[in-house]
Amino acid sequence: MSGIRHRLRPAVTAVLHRLAPRTLRGRLSLVARTTAVLLMLVLTVAFTAVAQHRLQHQADDELRTRAVAVATTIDTTGTTVRVLKTSNDALLDANGWIYADGRLLEEPPNAGRLTGVADASPGAADGGAPPRTWQADGGQPADPASCTH
């Protein structure tokens, strides 16, 4: 093993000497290129982090806005929970399930298998846990809704 190292070390050193700039201009150019690449890498990582944070914040705001809009169509004044029908609530109906006391009151028109995911969510069956807004792919809760009955 020691013999291999001694034979490789001069070969690697020779390659590095050939690649290394020999003049001051070449060395300065290498430093400038390296600095530019590192700066671009840092700026790309920073931009990605800021953009991801901002997009997540916008998505959370959108979910909260939709939850509040759906909550305005729920009447809890009596002893039972009722869903109020308005003429322009197609967008509200397309993105949410409404449960009361473990019963499904309203679901999106084309919910399909996502209704099963909503049925299995905490609070859908027992009526005790706060409602949640679920992601469109049936994933984990995206944001707790701010409405309770």
Side-chain angles (χ1 to χ4, degrees), residues 99-103 119 121-130 149:
Y99 288 87
D101 298 324
R103 286 178 322 148
D119 288 341
S121 70
D126 61 11
H149 67 276

Side-chain angles (χ1 to χ4, degrees), residues 28-44:
L28 288 174
S29 176
L30 179 63
V31 168
R33 278 186 269 151
T34 304
T35 303
V37 167
L38 290 175
L39 181 63
M40 286 191 300
L41 180 67
V42 167
L43 289 175
T44 301

Side-chain angles (χ1 to χ4, degrees), residues 5-75:
R5 276 194 207 146
H6 288 297
R7 280 183 270 158
L8 285 179
R9 191 169 286 155
V12 170
T13 304
V15 169
L16 289 177
H17 280 297
R18 272 187 255 137
L19 293 176
R22 296 178 190 203
T23 64
L24 180 59
R25 179 184 290 175
R27 288 185 207 142
L28 288 174
S29 176
L30 179 63
V31 168
R33 278 186 269 151
T34 304
T35 303
V37 167
L38 290 175
L39 181 63
M40 286 191 300
L41 180 67
V42 167
L43 289 175
T44 301
V45 168
F47 175 78
T48 302
V50 168
Q52 189 273 336
H53 181 265
R54 182 68 185 138
L55 289 173
Q56 184 65 47
H57 184 69
Q58 285 177 343
D60 290 345
D61 285 346
E62 178 71 19
L63 287 174
R64 274 189 211 92
T65 301
R66 287 184 184 186
V68 168
V70 169
T72 61
T73 66
I74 299 172
D75 179 21

